[in-house]
C-alpha cells in the first residue's frame, strides 16, 4: 500500500501577517516540509524580489509567482506560505481553492504597518505613504483572501507559536 501524502496547507494574507514565520512553525508541528513562494522565486532567479520588480515590473513578478504556485501545488505534504498578492489573479485563486486548505492570516492595519515599517524588501511599500498603501492593498485584497479561505486566523499581538498551534487545531 502506498502512503498518501496530505494536501498542502496553504497560508495566505497580507504583507506582515506572519505567513513565513508561522508557516515554518506549523510545518514543524506537523513534521512537514515548509515552502515559501517568494523564496522559491528568489532562489530560481538568483535575485531578490525588489530587483525582479525593478526589472520586470509587478506583472513580470506575478507571472513568475503564478508559475511557481502551479508547479508547487502539483505535489503535496507541505506547508506553503504565499506572497501577499498571489490572490490578485483569478487563476491563482482557483488553484488555491482546489489544493487547500487555505488559512487566511490577517491582522489589523496598524499591526501590519508596524511589522513592515522598516522592511526595504517590499517593493509595493516603497512609496511616499506606506500606511496608505497598506490600507489600499488590504481593502482590495481582503475579499480575495476571504474567497479562498478555509479558515481565518487573526495574528494581532499574538505569538507566532500560539497562532501556529491554533492553525493545527483548526485543521485537525
Amino acid at each position: 500500500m502506498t502512503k498518501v501524502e496530505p494536501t498542502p496547507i496553504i497560508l495566505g494574507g497580507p504583507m506582515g501577517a506572519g505567513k513565513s514565520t508561522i508557516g515554518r512553525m506549523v510545518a514543524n508541528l506537523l513534521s512537514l516540509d515548509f515552502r515559501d513562494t517568494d523564496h522559491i522565486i528568489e532562489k530560481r532567479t538568483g535575485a531578490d524580489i525588489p530587483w525582479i520588480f525593478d526589472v520586470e515590473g509587478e506583472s513580470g513578478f506575478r507571472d513568475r509567482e503564478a508559475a511557481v504556485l502551479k508547479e508547487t501545488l502539483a505535489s503535496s505534504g507541505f506547508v506553503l506560505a504565499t506572497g501577499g498578492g498571489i490572490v490578485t489573479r483569478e487563476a491563482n485563486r482557483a488553484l488555491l481553492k482546489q489544493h487547500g486548505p487555505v488559512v487566511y492570516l490577517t491582522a489589523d492595519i496598524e499591526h501590519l504597518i508596524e511589522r513592515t515599517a522598516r522592511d526595504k524588501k517590499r517593493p509595493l511599500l516603497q512609496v511616499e505613504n506606506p500606511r496608505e498603501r497598506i490600507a489600499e492593498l488590504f481593502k482590495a485584497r481582503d475579499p480575495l483572501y476571504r474567497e479562498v479561505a478555509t479558515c481565518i486566523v487573526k495574528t494581532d499581538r499574538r505569538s507566532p507559536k500560539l497562532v501556529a498551534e491554533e492553525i493545527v487545531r483548526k485543521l485537525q
Side-chain angles (χ1 to χ4, degrees):
M1 180 177 252
T2 59
K3 181 181 175 189
V4 177
E5 290 290 327
T7 60
I9 296 169
I10 304 163
L11 303 183
M15 293 180 270
K19 298 178 299 286
S20 296
T21 301
I22 293 165
R24 281 186 198 90
M25 291 181 173
V26 171
N28 187 48
L29 288 170
L30 297 173
S31 299
L32 295 172
D33 288 336
F34 173 74
R35 300 177 191 174
D36 183 309
T37 57
D38 287 349
H39 295 159
I40 294 168
I41 292 166
E42 288 181 333
K43 186 174 181 182
R44 286 188 182 172
T45 60
D48 65 9
I49 289 169
W51 186 88
I52 297 168
F53 264 74
D54 283 347
V55 172
E56 299 178 4
E58 183 174 358
S59 178
F61 174 77
R62 297 290 171 217
D63 291 343
R64 289 180 181 277
E65 184 178 60
V68 163
L69 180 66
K70 184 175 182 178
E71 181 182 317
T72 304
L73 291 179
S75 60
S76 58
F78 56 89
V79 176
L80 178 65
T82 60
I86 207 156
V87 294
T88 59
R89 290 197 173 174
E90 189 175 338
N92 291 347
R93 292 193 306 277
L95 278 171
L96 292 169
K97 287 188 270 190
Q98 178 184 349
H99 292 279
V102 178
V103 179
Y104 171 20
L105 297 181
T106 187
D108 64 41
I109 300 293
E110 291 305 314
H111 189 72
L112 298 174
I113 291 165
E114 185 179 300
R115 282 186 160 190
T116 59
R118 292 179 270 323
D119 191 340
K120 300 299 179 202
K121 289 195 166 205
R122 299 183 189 270
L124 293 178
L125 297 185
Q126 303 313 305
V127 295
E128 190 174 318
N129 189 339
R131 172 184 299 271
E132 185 177 291
R133 184 68 174 142
I134 287 174
E136 289 169 0
L137 290 169
F138 187 85
K139 183 178 179 185
R141 294 175 178 177
D142 179 64
L144 304 176
Y145 299 131
R146 290 178 184 278
E147 175 189 327
V148 301
T150 305
C151 64
I152 300 170
V153 178
K154 293 278 281 178
T155 65
D156 297 329
R157 312 250 179 263
R158 297 175 63 207
S159 79
K161 182 177 186 278
L162 288 177
V163 174
E165 290 169 349
E166 178 183 343
I167 291 167
V168 170
R169 279 192 310 274
K170 283 186 174 214
L171 296 178
Q172 287 179 331

